[in-house]
Amino acid sequence: MQTNTLSDFLDASQCQFRVYELGRKVTKISNSEFRKIDANKAPYPYPIQKQAFFAIVFWQTQQQGKDHFIWFLKMPIDEQGFLKITAQTSFIKMVIEAMGDDLTSDMSKKLQERLASNPYVFKPSTEKLAVFNSKINAAFIRPASTFYPAAQHYFSGNADWNDWKNLGFQGIADIASRLDRDNNQAHLINAIPKLPEDALRSLAVCLEHSTDINPKLTMLIAMQAATELGK
């Protein structure tokens, strides 16, 4: 398999895929945009210290029922902002050596360890991983995490506002990724003025990665932030 770019490699492996930026803001990069990026027709839009941090979610085209697979990648960027082709080629070579042409085959523990030691693979922070997982589950119409019901219960006002410490961060991330579902946005509008500072901070961290915030919620967050800063 002679391919130099990640998207070509996935195409040749008969895989569909989605790409998510993970360096600054957890957000989807369209496939058309990513194909330009990895072919050096467009610079990477969110570089950090000459590195691109992103996740590729992929699955076998002919096997929709199979699980999705994920690569968390850290690729070097040149002085013009482009992904280095040599880094992509090197990563592809390492993957082929470890797995062959079937990227979705069952991996032994030894193969998993070998891929994990790949210099282009990184581990996202706990917060970004929670946000990423929440976005993936929402995008692929999967159930939210087991922390979601407790977060719903809390932000809907059915629990004491001081009981936020019992919430899992993953549940808060699930709420932020599902603002268009379960009346979550309306619940947050009601809850924000009543939230303890630390609970508001955790929610704000998750909402930073959301693209579905309506103007009313945006204004309320800004007003509450100004109030907290003025204390």
Side-chain angles (χ1 to χ4, degrees), residues 49-50 58 102-103 113 117 120 139 149 160 167 222:
Q49 297 180 337
K50 297 183 179 180
F58 61 95
D102 186 359
L103 304 184
E113 291 174 350
S117 63
Y120 301 107
D160 189 301
L167 301 180

Side-chain angles (χ1 to χ4, degrees), residues 156-198:
S156 64
N158 292 317
D160 189 301
W161 295 117
N162 291 317
D163 287 345
W164 67 271
K165 292 182 180 179
N166 296 323
L167 301 180
F169 188 85
Q170 182 65 66
I172 301 175
D174 289 338
I175 292 286
S177 292
R178 294 168 184 262
L179 293 178
D180 60 339
R181 307 179 196 182
D182 303 323
N183 213 26
N184 286 329
Q185 194 142 213
H187 288 158
L188 291 185
I189 289 172
N190 176 67
I192 282 176
K194 305 165 188 174
L195 294 178
E197 183 179 345
D198 288 341

Side-chain angles (χ1 to χ4, degrees), residues 11 15 22 38 48 63-64 73 77 106 132 136 146 148 151 175 183-184 196 201 209 215 222:
D11 288 342
C15 288
L22 287 181
D38 73 356
I48 296 180
Q63 298 177 346
Q64 298 290 344
L73 300 180
I77 292 174
D106 292 333
F132 172 75
I136 289 297
T146 56
Y148 182 56
I175 292 286
N183 213 26
N184 286 329
R201 184 181 297 112
H209 307 279

